[in-house]
Amino acid sequence: MSTSKSTTLTGLLDPVNGRPVRRHPDTGAYFVKASGSAHFWGRVLDAFVFLVGYVILAAIAAVVRESMMNSGSALGYNDGLWLTLYVVLWFVGLLVYGMIWGTVGSVGDAAAGMRSVRIKNGTTAGAWLGGWRAISWSFFPFFVVMLIASAISGGGDDTWDPKFAAIDRRSGIAQGQAPVPDPKVPAAEQAAAADRQHLPNLYGQRPDARP
């Protein structure tokens, strides 16, 4: 079950970047989410690093196959075997990169100054869950297509249930600084109170009257 945004917001701001401060429900610890641009470019860098690594592995496999073909080995001519190998390398590579991502953080995390943690308690995914999360994200384009198709057909279900957030490790909160009050919160509370005062009486009583 995902944690709603309202249960994690605190009405406080980070003293460095001014973004909303949130709270891990299980621990009460404060955190600030990474900005959208930092998160996006961090994941783009992760994709680039993974693709470079995969291309290198695929090139090594191609050299090995060429060598086997030159030596007359029948395995070198087995297209199905080598296609399967390339697919296996893809998913094993994702699993390994995800295991690194889920334990010590990815290259994109380090470059963007962020870290992916559980919203409920601030812990990292760990090796195995991190690996499977990386494999799942490799199907994200398919998920987007399915989501658009669902919207066109009238469906409104959101099956993407995020339990993780990328926290900003360069925020003031992450550096141990105290959060500051959000000046918009008192103003919003006063506006809401004023709206309640202007509501019509119900059965001769104010809307907030107690029996």
Side-chain angles (χ1 to χ4, degrees), residues 70-85:
N70 292 336
S71 65
S73 174
L75 291 177
Y77 295 92
N78 190 331
D79 293 336
L81 172 65
W82 290 97
L83 178 60
T84 301
L85 177 62

Side-chain angles (χ1 to χ4, degrees), residues 49-98:
V49 170
F50 169 75
L51 288 175
V52 169
Y54 178 76
V55 168
I56 292 174
L57 291 176
I60 293 173
V63 170
V64 172
R65 182 183 185 185
E66 183 69 21
S67 177
M68 295 177 67
M69 293 173 67
N70 292 336
S71 65
S73 174
L75 291 177
Y77 295 92
N78 190 331
D79 293 336
L81 172 65
W82 290 97
L83 178 60
T84 301
L85 177 62
Y86 291 136
V87 172
V88 169
L89 284 175
W90 175 268
F91 287 106
V92 170
L94 279 172
L95 180 65
V96 172
Y97 195 78

